[in-house]
Amino acid sequence: MRPSAARLLNILVPVKRSVDYAVKIRVNPQQTGVDLNVKHSMNPFDEIAVEEAVRLRERLKDGVKSIKAVTIGPPKASETLRTALAMGADSAIHVEIPESAPAPEPLGVAKALHALIQRGDGEGKVDLVIMGKQAIDDDAGQTGQMLAGLLGWGQATFASKVQVDVEKREAVVLREIDGGSEEIRCRLPLVVTTDLRLNEPRYASLPNIMKAKKKPIEKLTAADLGVDFTPRLETLKVTEPPVRVGGGKVESVDELVAKLKDAGFTAA
Amino acid sequence: MSFLFRRQHLAFISRCRPFSSVGRADVDYFRTFLPTHAILTTLPNDSGSVAPAELDVYNRDWMGKYTGRATTVVKPRSTEEVSKIVRWCNEYDIAIVPQGGNTGLVGGSIPVNDELILSLANMNKVRSFDPVSGILITDAGCILQELTDYIAPHNHIMPIDLGAKGSCQIGGNVATNAGGLRLLRYGSLHGSVLGLEVVLADGTVLDQLTALRKDNTGYDIKQLFIGAEGTLGIVTGVSILTPAAPQASNNVVLALPHFDNVLPLYRKVKRSLSEILSAFEFIDRTAYDLAVKHGQGRGLSDEDVAGAQCFVLVETSGGRREHDEEKLNDLLAELLDAENPLILSGVLSQNPAQFSSLWALREGVTEAISKEGKAYKYDISIPLDKFKVVVDATREHLAERNLIGEHAVKHVMGYGHVGDGNLHLNICAAEYTQEIQDALEPFVYELVASYRGSISAEHGIGAAKTHALHYSKDEVSIELMRKLKALFDPRGILNPKKILE
Ligand SMILES: Cc1cc2nc3c(=O)[nH]c(=O)nc-3n(C[C@H](O)[C@H](O)[C@H](O)COP(=O)(O)OP(=O)(O)OC[C@H]3O[C@@H](n4cnc5c(N)ncnc54)[C@H](O)[C@@H]3O)c2cc1C
């Protein structure tokens, strides 16, 4: 028997469509960014976030009331939402930005998520946000922390294990830190950001992919949320790292020593 | 009468001829043009010999089934060096085993006695690539994966792909006429190989390294070396047509309740996907479970595999992602919504990492079996509807002889290239034993012959199946093969006792 007092969990999982990690990144000729005309997929850390939400439901059963995925991105980002829905999210929100618009920055994204969470109340109120610790395209690694700050919630970043006690309304999170791990106990509501070792995301099964097509996706705009995605940073130039010049072969030790001297290396 | 006489005569030449062992004088001669690191020998000599253990990787095959007693391995760097070695050996009656990546599965790359091993590993340069025609001309010793990587920036792919790609060489692929995972789409090497450079048994270099799509000027001699397993000449250069890389690829693994559904599924998939279908691979439950057990790719969830008797991997490759995905999605929706569904469930890869992981389930079966135990491999072509019959009959046959269990045969399984009618029947045992061998042969071969199948679809004959050649080739064919062998290699020095006994 479940005590009726315990509020069931509503989980929000923000996901981002980003250049697939297997793609070899190339800087565009104008040097304003990278070539985006390549394979995109869900940011791997976000995939882990969706997986964790679905596993929480598998563990807590009815303790999880809803799992909602949200993305902020161009029209094609809806494919990413379909993947999240196929993995087990119940519904989704797409905050759509024009295809040509610049990518929103972490603060813009955090504000949009903040507005979205504020919007919900009563039954639909979000208790737990699970999101990637960073997106592999810009590697900023800031959104989760900013969101927790805006909301005034606790945060458990770089999670490698998450246990939630619905009745006590608290979570115990194992965090990856330099040289080891740290276990923290947090009160809900909470923002968790995922690290690589948290779990291994499942495949989307065909029946679930088909079901996902019928799940609702709510479309919103920046204006609906009263946020502005205009970038605050200006990108001056994007360049590739210098090409590594290949080594050369020497025939003898003497030659090696001579080469080293030429290059400015001398015995101390 | 004269027929019989000739037969015996030819047999005498290729079979009973005693070859000379490699001696110090031979090594000394090789030293006159090969650098120290290109000769590995256990024979005492001036430049230092190696411990026998250092030759183990050359003297043992990939499965650990065949062991040679070669004392010497040479690794020439050029066609000219290969020619010098072969000419010398022909003159002094030294038998040679050409060796590529040593991934062959029929013992063809391993000496039956103490033949000289001629490794092509140092012939590893790409000679040219024309991005317009896609024609790649390369040394025979280039590793398949490296060639794939070499042409990838030009948006081309190799017409052949197989689980051993990280080690096998293009020359070895040609010598075995390897089939692999892309045959359904790009056809066999008999079509994509445009030219070859071959060192003949007397050291002469046959230069047919042309880059022509069309060349009907008499007998197409290069075809004879494709699949000759090093018995007619040593391939040193390959000219091969590479197709443009597909712009979009997808794959799904489908779980099927019965084998009976595989063929109707294949028909349906062919019809719905038509030109974008690039692979249709079959894995039975035993093979799937072994692949997952040995960490070859991540398995599906328990829920998705529950009740599945076998699996099918379908790959699509095409030029436009949206178009391909729409076709694939329509097919999948139709399969799931059907009144009597052919499939139970399945998964669709969502990103390149999952794409590779699903392929690994199929490609990794060979490796998983070798981790599980000792494999008896039958690579057969049979009518598609007989795949399961053959696997089941083999299992029953072994069970009747009380050979199923941890003490003898652990698993009997089938997987393979449905699209090509090619089944890999694998028997995984605790050890190689005569008893199991006798139970399997000629049983399997007779079974295959009863369906007019081939006893070796893509792996070749090597040393493993010479005695069984007659199940797939009649007297007339075998006699012609003997004559060809005698014509190309009159002294029988090239890979003796392989293909023909
Ligand atoms: C994991 C795995 C998966 C495989 N999958 C497939 C598959 O899907 N389809 C398939 O067809 N095969 C498959 N094979 C077997 C296949 O025949 C070989 O992997 C490959 O084609 C052999 O290349 P290699 O360079 O290793 O040749 P080797 O094993 O070194 O030699 C094979 C034969 O060719 C001869 N040879 C090698 N190089 C030359 C040369 N330059 N000139 C003349 N003769 C030469 C050898 O003497 C020997 O008879 C697989 C093997 C493994 C281990």
Side-chain angles (χ1 to χ4, degrees):
Chain A
M1 279 294 274
R2 206 172 52 233
S4 53
R7 238 176 49 77
L8 308 180
L9 283 189
N10 289 309
I11 304 177
L12 184 72
V13 188
V15 297
K16 182 176 186 182
R17 175 178 185 267
S18 57
V19 170
D20 189 87
Y21 86 90
V23 168
K24 194 174 167 336
I25 300 295
R26 257 177 292 214
V27 172
N28 66 18
Q30 307 83 347
Q31 298 199 314
T32 54
V34 300
D35 178 9
L36 293 177
N37 210 357
V38 294
K39 175 97 185 154
H40 282 63
S41 50
M42 190 191 300
N43 174 39
F45 292 105
D46 304 349
E47 226 186 324
I48 293 173
V50 178
E51 177 68 28
E52 194 59 23
V54 177
R55 287 194 191 183
L56 276 179
R57 163 171 283 157
E58 284 166 356
R59 281 204 300 272
L60 302 172
K61 304 279 170 357
D62 293 341
V64 173
K65 184 169 168 218
S66 75
I67 301 174
K68 187 172 273 195
V70 53
T71 195
I72 298 159
K76 276 193 184 141
S78 62
E79 290 170 15
T80 309
L81 288 178
R82 289 289 170 210
T83 301
L85 292 169
M87 287 173 73
D90 307 313
S91 64
I93 298 176
H94 186 177
V95 181
E96 201 173 299
I97 60 172
E99 187 70 60
S100 55
E105 292 168 355
L107 185 59
V109 173
K111 283 183 174 171
L113 296 174
H114 177 234
L116 205 65
I117 292 168
Q118 295 290 311
R119 217 177 52 134
D121 46 15
E123 282 291 282
K125 196 162 166 24
V126 174
D127 309 276
L128 181 62
V129 178
I130 309 181
M131 57 200 289
K133 70 166 183 177
Q134 73 197 73
I136 59 164
D137 46 9
D138 55 20
D139 273 346
Q142 299 163 343
T143 312
Q145 293 87 329
M146 286 177 171
L147 175 62
L150 290 171
L151 288 164
W153 291 7
Q155 55 179 297
T157 51
F158 316 140
S160 58
K161 190 170 179 194
V162 177
Q163 284 162 293
V164 177
D165 189 322
V166 186
E167 273 162 45
K168 287 199 197 141
R169 297 197 57 74
E170 63 177 38
V172 176
V173 178
L174 198 66
R175 304 182 58 231
E176 306 248 322
I177 57 171
D178 269 355
S181 48
E182 174 186 69
E183 194 175 54
I184 56 172
R185 188 191 305 274
C186 329
R187 263 192 305 279
L188 300 183
L190 175 71
V191 175
V192 172
T193 73
T194 60
D195 218 318
L196 214 52
R197 272 190 285 178
L198 181 57
N199 61 49
E200 200 185 356
R202 70 195 58 199
Y203 296 116
S205 82
L206 295 181
N208 289 340
I209 289 174
M210 297 305 153
K211 276 186 221 146
K213 290 189 193 215
K214 300 194 183 96
K215 291 182 182 174
I217 295 186
E218 183 186 356
K219 289 225 186 225
L220 295 175
T221 62
D224 292 336
L225 293 172
V227 293
D228 180 5
F229 288 129
T230 315
R232 299 171 154 225
L233 301 174
E234 188 189 348
T235 301
L236 299 181
K237 194 176 172 192
V238 179
T239 54
E240 310 222 353
V243 199
R244 202 185 146 267
V245 278
K249 273 196 184 158
V250 290
E251 293 291 336
S252 65
V253 176
D254 290 344
E255 196 187 332
L256 176 66
V257 173
K259 283 248 158 97
L260 286 173
K261 279 193 181 143
D262 282 352
F265 295 98
T266 46
Chain B
M1 196 63 206
S2 82
F3 170 73
L4 249 180
F5 170 74
R6 285 185 72 95
R7 229 184 88 111
Q8 276 165 2
H9 180 64
L10 288 167
F12 171 74
I13 287 181
S14 62
R15 192 192 299 169
C16 304
R17 193 171 176 62
F19 296 107
S20 310
S21 297
V22 179
R24 191 168 168 161
D26 306 309
V27 174
D28 285 345
Y29 171 70
F30 299 147
R31 289 239 188 269
T32 61
F33 57 93
L34 290 179
T36 318
H37 64 77
I39 305 176
L40 296 173
T41 182
T42 57
L43 301 173
N45 73 99
D46 297 338
S47 307
S49 48
V50 300
E54 287 200 39
L55 294 195
D56 282 357
V57 289
Y58 302 93
N59 269 325
R60 278 190 83 83
D61 76 320
W62 190 86
M63 300 184 292
K65 192 168 184 178
Y66 299 88
T67 311
R69 289 185 286 109
T71 60
T72 307
V73 178
V74 285
K75 300 167 123 184
R77 298 157 299 173
S78 66
T79 307
E80 198 199 334
E81 288 176 357
V82 174
S83 160
K84 279 185 170 169
I85 296 165
V86 177
R87 176 168 297 130
W88 177 273
C89 290
N90 195 46
E91 201 167 320
Y92 294 98
D93 273 340
I94 298 166
I96 301 176
V97 176
Q99 192 174 85
N102 200 12
T103 67
L105 299 174
V106 289
S109 50
I110 301 299
V112 288
N113 287 308
D114 64 349
E115 296 92 299
L116 173 72
I117 295 179
L118 190 155
S119 161
L120 280 296
N122 280 342
M123 288 201 61
N124 53 7
K125 302 214 177 31
V126 171
R127 300 193 191 174
S128 69
F129 177 68
D130 175 2
V132 179
S133 63
I135 295 171
L136 173 73
I137 301 184
T138 159
D139 283 355
C142 286
I143 288 172
L144 182 58
Q145 180 67 55
E146 286 168 7
L147 293 176
T148 307
D149 295 343
Y150 184 89
I151 59 177
H154 302 283
N155 282 316
H156 274 255
I157 58 167
M158 295 300 287
I160 160 174
D161 184 21
L162 42 98
K165 58 179 161 261
S167 311
C168 67
Q169 300 173 1
I170 189 68
N173 299 146
V174 169
T176 56
N177 186 22
L181 307 164
R182 290 185 182 148
L183 191 125
L184 179 70
R185 179 64 160 271
Y186 301 113
S188 91
L189 288 176
H190 281 296
S192 43
V193 171
L194 301 180
L196 290 179
E197 177 189 81
V198 183
V199 172
L200 302 174
D202 65 356
T204 313
V205 178
L206 172 73
D207 180 0
Q208 290 208 348
L209 206 53
T210 49
L212 306 170
R213 296 279 318 254
K214 296 178 149 188
D215 178 22
N216 288 352
T217 49
Y219 308 137
D220 190 359
I221 295 170
K222 70 165 185 294
Q223 297 295 354
L224 286 172
F225 299 98
I226 302 175
E229 302 180 54
T231 60
L232 298 183
I234 297 182
V235 178
T236 50
V238 177
S239 164
I240 189 166
L241 183 65
T242 69
Q247 295 303 298
S249 298
N250 281 301
N251 64 4
V252 284
V253 165
L254 304 171
L256 281 64
H258 320 282
F259 176 80
D260 295 347
N261 292 5
V262 174
L263 293 187
L265 181 68
Y266 182 42
R267 285 182 58 191
K268 171 134 203 71
V269 168
K270 266 200 298 191
R271 190 154 16 94
S272 305
L273 298 179
S274 63
E275 85 289 354
I276 64 166
L277 174 63
S278 54
F280 191 98
E281 296 283 316
F282 162 75
I283 319 165
D284 76 9
R285 182 64 189 251
T286 315
Y288 169 88
D289 287 340
L290 270 189
V292 172
K293 173 175 170 190
H294 292 284
Q296 310 288 327
R298 192 153 51 83
L300 281 56
S301 71
D302 294 345
E303 198 180 311
D304 285 323
V305 300
Q309 198 181 66
C310 59
F311 300 84
V312 160
L313 184 150
V314 176
E315 184 196 62
T316 66
S317 313
R320 221 181 126 76
R321 195 170 62 92
E322 291 79 5
H323 166 263
D324 296 2
E325 280 175 5
E326 199 181 318
K327 263 188 169 172
L328 188 58
N329 280 325
D330 287 353
L331 167 70
L332 296 174
E334 224 183 297
L335 285 173
L336 284 172
D337 295 344
E339 211 158 293
N340 296 310
L342 294 170
I343 63 170
L344 291 170
S345 182
V347 297
L348 169 67
S349 64
Q350 301 289 308
N351 53 46
Q354 290 188 0
F355 179 86
S356 313
S357 188
L358 289 184
W359 258 120
L361 286 171
R362 162 63 189 87
E363 283 184 88
V365 174
T366 315
E367 205 169 315
I369 296 169
S370 74
K371 287 185 180 165
E372 178 79 6
K374 300 290 180 198
Y376 293 85
K377 292 185 171 292
Y378 298 95
D379 159 41
I380 57 189
S381 278
I382 42 170
L384 293 175
D385 59 343
K386 298 294 180 295
F387 273 29
K388 185 166 186 303
V389 181
V390 167
V391 177
D392 289 348
T394 306
R395 192 182 292 115
E396 277 159 32
H397 180 79
L398 289 167
E400 280 163 21
R401 278 153 193 75
N402 195 23
L403 286 171
I404 298 276
E406 286 299 314
H407 66 290
V409 171
K410 301 206 259 182
H411 311 280
V412 178
M413 73 204 98
Y415 58 97
H417 318 290
V418 174
D420 317 328
N422 179 188
L423 176 72
H424 295 309
L425 167 67
N426 275 241
I427 292 89
C428 182
E431 289 302 332
Y432 290 124
T433 69
Q434 195 59 44
E435 202 185 0
I436 300 175
Q437 176 80 24
D438 292 343
L440 288 169
E441 293 177 21
F443 174 80
V444 173
Y445 295 133
E446 282 170 0
L447 197 59
V448 172
S450 73
Y451 299 122
R452 283 196 68 105
S454 166
I455 57 144
S456 186
E458 60 173 15
H459 292 164
I461 295 294
K465 316 223 148 133
T466 49
H467 61 287
L469 187 61
H470 66 95
Y471 287 104
S472 288
K473 288 273 194 295
D474 66 6
E475 266 307 313
V476 180
S477 310
I478 293 178
E479 186 53 27
L480 264 176
M481 284 167 70
R482 284 190 198 286
K483 285 182 185 160
L484 277 171
K485 170 74 180 172
L487 176 70
F488 278 88
D489 180 17
R491 311 185 74 146
I493 60 156
L494 292 177
N495 220 357
K497 303 217 176 194
K498 308 292 165 58
I499 299 188
L500 297 166
E501 276 181 310

